Amino acid sequence: MEEGYPQMAILKSGATVTLRPFEPSDEPEFVQFFSSLPPEHVEFLRDNLRDPEVAHCFIRLREPDQAWTMLAFSEDGRVVGNATLYMDRHGWRRHVGVVHVVIAPEYLRQRLAMRLVRELMSYATLRGLKKLEVQVLDSQTGARIAFKHLGFREEARLRGHAMDLRGKLHDIIILTTDVYDPWRRMEDLVFELDCAREIP
């Protein structure tokens, strides 16, 4: 178990969930979580994790330095939320992490997604990433609002780049935020205050 976990979180409804990074023993619950989701809930994910074989491959082939996953467990031990940070080890996007979040339908609008993303942001700081990116559809108003509360801003819009199961086209909106080490920010503030004192 990684240091600092598990953590308990109380949701808007008053329900309690447990947050911790994915472990190999979580595979059955992980596969069950995705296979039980409605198709439209995950149709724009990077991987079709509703397919048990794809989910098994994701688990077995994932490299910790390329995909770091945080899970949320209900009081009865079910996985009810998943957040994954995808990272490139090499190339010109090696400083960027891509965020994917999936929440069980009955746990939506409970601020669980925001809590999971905060955990990813903390991990991104430890990994030295400089920027986080998330892609949402124009129809996902709630998700856009939640990410904007976390400091994400619209960077680009790809018009008609997504098609849902009914054949309707959607814009893909790319939101980004800078990853800033809070300790470094504190040092910068102290430096700014010192400089201000020296100015007559």
Side-chain angles (χ1 to χ4, degrees):
M1 183 69 65
E2 294 188 33
E3 185 177 355
Y5 296 102
Q7 295 181 6
M8 307 299 291
I10 300 176
L11 305 182
K12 189 176 179 181
S13 64
T16 301
V17 296
T18 302
L19 308 178
R20 63 170 174 78
F22 174 88
E23 296 180 347
S25 59
D26 297 324
E27 182 172 345
E29 289 79 14
F30 181 90
V31 173
Q32 173 61 30
F33 168 67
F34 278 100
S35 63
S36 65
L37 293 173
E40 64 274 10
H41 207 64
V42 292
E43 61 182 324
F44 298 111
L45 284 181
R46 176 169 173 167
D47 302 295
N48 179 22
L49 296 174
R50 287 188 73 250
D51 183 333
E53 284 302 314
V54 175
H56 286 304
C57 287
F58 171 82
I59 292 167
R60 294 166 187 163
L61 300 179
R62 64 193 289 274
E63 296 289 341
D65 60 345
Q66 291 182 288
W68 189 77
T69 298
M70 175 68 61
L71 298 177
F73 294 85
S74 63
E75 294 176 1
D76 60 0
R78 294 180 298 115
V79 173
V80 295
N82 169 88
T84 298
L85 179 66
Y86 290 94
M87 300 161 283
D88 290 330
R89 289 181 294 182
H90 310 288
W92 59 359
R93 284 176 57 87
R94 62 187 180 279
H95 65 298
V96 179
V98 179
V99 174
H100 285 207
V101 182
V102 182
I103 305 297
E106 66 271 26
Y107 280 79
L108 291 172
R109 293 176 288 279
Q110 297 298 318
R111 298 180 184 151
L112 177 55
M114 294 180 70
R115 179 58 191 273
L116 286 169
V117 172
R118 284 196 185 100
E119 296 302 314
L120 296 191
M121 294 176 80
S122 296
Y123 183 75
T125 299
L126 295 176
R127 286 295 307 270
L129 297 180
K130 304 302 182 187
K131 188 177 287 288
L132 293 183
E133 172 189 309
V134 65
Q135 296 186 6
V136 298
L137 300 184
D138 52 7
S139 58
Q140 295 177 302
T141 305
R144 287 158 55 194
I145 292 173
F147 278 110
K148 286 184 178 180
H149 278 307
L150 288 167
F152 285 77
R153 62 191 178 278
E154 184 171 332
E155 192 85 31
R157 180 181 291 253
L158 306 178
R159 301 192 181 278
H161 273 236
M163 180 182 291
D164 63 25
L165 295 175
R166 295 169 297 281
K168 182 179 179 181
L169 295 178
H170 295 271
D171 294 350
I172 295 177
I173 300 172
I174 300 175
L175 305 173
T176 66
T177 188
D178 293 330
V179 177
Y180 209 96
D181 185 338
W183 297 108
R184 173 69 182 278
R185 179 57 183 156
M186 193 176 297
E187 292 173 358
D188 288 349
L189 288 172
V190 171
F191 177 76
E192 291 168 5
L193 287 172
D194 288 342
C195 288
R197 294 191 188 102
E198 295 175 4
I199 298 175

